Amino acid sequence: MLHIAYHPIYAHPLPEGHRFPMVKYELIPGQLVYEGVITEENLFTPEPAAEEVILWTHNADYWQRMKTLRLTDKEMRAIGFPQSAKLVEREIRIAQGTISCALYAQQYGVALNVAGGTHHAFAGHGEGFCLLNDFAIAANYLLHHQLAKQILIVDLDVHQGNGTAALFANELRVFTFSMHGQHNYPFRKETSDLDIGLHDGCGGDEYLALLQEHLPKLIEQEQPDMVFYLSGVDVLSTDKFGKLKLTMDDTRHRDEVVFNLCKKHNIPVAVAMGGGYSPDIRHIVTAHCNTFKAAKEIFGL
């Protein structure tokens, strides 16, 4: 069965006019159920991640101040959300959702988190709508429990996975691959194990050619036994911030390239949705739903 992590807390209320499209997190599962792609049985509710697990990735001081709502105004401005207990609960449920998706993927081939992909969170600070790094937390969980030996993080959000790159800079068991807009946020990039910086206006043909050139080589080189895939839809030409020119079909083809390679090599893949900022929420939801459809179809779930 296709397992999908979802909790109503994912759609966290924000001030009027906030630029983050939080409503997508309730629209995605609703649309998938409406279209008959999934049923309610496909959705599971993640518990909050254990504090011990969070501290395998994040600094104790940062976590203590986050959970007691003592992050500074400056820190919260960098994150971009108002500080609240519900926001913290949301983050730790998302993190556990990605851990659970990794475990389900090891059983069934693929599993997806409706939220997650919080790749701008570092060990001791957050930024860019990210407080805790769910992929890093889940990867460290697998390594700690010896459930994976070599992990490949495939970050195809339009923004570089700077927090993830920094967290695993000295961890040979985790290879970080980021394909992103070179002249986009974050403007001070970290160093992933492989960074491919794309020029503004990069279209689907060029994008897909680069992905098909590099990803098979990485799989051959690293021999991962687990993949985490960040399938941001801010690569769409309609995105307010993306600066790339991928169509809806290009974006779905991108997902299919990743899933087909994982299926071909029998590598479990845990997926998180990442960003998407098209002015019309339907473009965001459709592109995200296509990721779920591609996963279900390719893995036969």
Side-chain angles (χ1 to χ4, degrees):
M1 187 170 80
L2 185 64
H3 288 77
I4 298 169
Y6 171 69
H7 191 288
I9 204 171
Y10 284 6
H12 181 71
L14 292 172
E16 186 83 24
H18 197 285
R19 63 180 181 157
F20 190 86
M22 197 68 81
V23 69
K24 75 177 185 178
Y25 296 118
E26 63 186 49
L27 295 177
I28 293 165
Q31 185 67 24
L32 290 169
V33 171
Y34 174 76
E35 291 185 27
V37 178
I38 64 168
T39 68
E40 296 286 349
E41 289 182 358
N42 292 107
L43 303 171
F44 72 89
T45 304
E47 296 296 319
E51 183 169 84
E52 176 190 21
V53 173
I54 293 166
L55 293 176
W56 292 337
T57 297
H58 290 281
N59 296 348
D61 171 70
Y62 174 57
W63 165 242
Q64 289 299 325
R65 290 188 303 110
M66 183 192 304
K67 75 173 186 176
T68 55
L69 309 184
R70 290 185 294 115
L71 295 177
T72 66
D73 289 346
K74 182 179 179 182
E75 286 175 301
M76 292 311 299
R77 278 196 301 273
I79 289 164
F81 292 145
Q83 189 163 210
S84 71
K86 278 292 184 190
L87 181 65
V88 176
E89 182 188 347
R90 174 185 186 269
E91 295 298 309
I92 60 179
R93 285 189 185 272
I94 287 172
Q96 183 59 48
T98 298
I99 292 171
S100 298
C101 281
L103 299 176
Y104 280 127
Q106 289 183 328
Q107 286 183 267
Y108 301 102
V110 66
L112 305 95
N113 198 342
V114 169
T118 46
H119 58 166
H120 300 310
F122 290 71
H125 73 273
E127 58 185 57
F129 307 133
C130 303
L131 285 88
L132 298 172
N133 194 309
D134 64 310
F135 272 11
I137 289 169
N140 282 326
Y141 179 94
L142 295 182
L143 294 173
H144 183 86
H145 289 288
Q146 298 181 321
L147 295 171
K149 293 178 181 176
Q150 191 66 36
I151 294 169
L152 173 61
I153 294 178
V154 178
D155 190 333
L156 301 186
D157 193 273
V158 82
H159 304 111
Q160 192 214 29
N162 56 340
T164 311
L167 280 161
F168 291 122
N170 299 310
E171 175 54 83
L172 295 177
R173 295 172 296 175
V174 179
F175 190 101
T176 53
F177 167 44
S178 181
M179 239 173 92
H180 52 263
Q182 184 61 33
H183 305 295
N184 209 320
Y185 178 92
F187 299 107
R188 180 182 169 277
K189 306 285 194 286
E190 299 292 329
T191 303
S192 309
D193 292 306
L194 176 61
D195 284 303
I196 298 177
L198 306 167
H199 62 85
D200 292 357
C202 176
D205 289 347
E206 182 181 355
Y207 184 102
L208 292 166
L210 284 166
L211 181 61
Q212 288 168 319
E213 176 190 348
H214 289 283
L215 188 54
K217 282 195 249 180
L218 283 183
I219 289 173
E220 187 64 34
Q221 170 190 307
E222 294 301 311
Q223 298 286 305
D225 51 6
M226 184 74 211
V227 165
F228 288 93
Y229 171 40
L230 207 171
S231 59
V233 302
D234 39 15
V235 296
L236 283 171
S237 61
T238 53
D239 197 88
K240 285 187 288 189
F241 309 121
K243 303 181 183 177
L244 303 187
K245 296 296 179 189
L246 273 69
T247 66
M248 195 72 72
D249 284 345
D250 294 332
T251 306
R252 176 158 182 161
H253 190 184
R254 174 202 67 173
D255 295 339
E256 291 169 347
V257 168
V258 176
F259 292 144
N260 276 317
L261 281 167
C262 290
K263 179 82 185 313
K264 176 184 174 182
H265 293 278
N266 295 310
I267 308 166
V269 54
V271 190
M273 293 303 104
Y277 307 94
S278 296
D280 187 338
I281 192 71
R282 290 173 297 183
H283 293 148
I284 300 172
V285 172
T286 298
H288 279 315
C289 286
N290 283 343
T291 303
F292 289 84
K293 293 173 185 176
K296 180 182 179 183
E297 181 181 323
I298 287 166
F299 285 88
L301 297 174

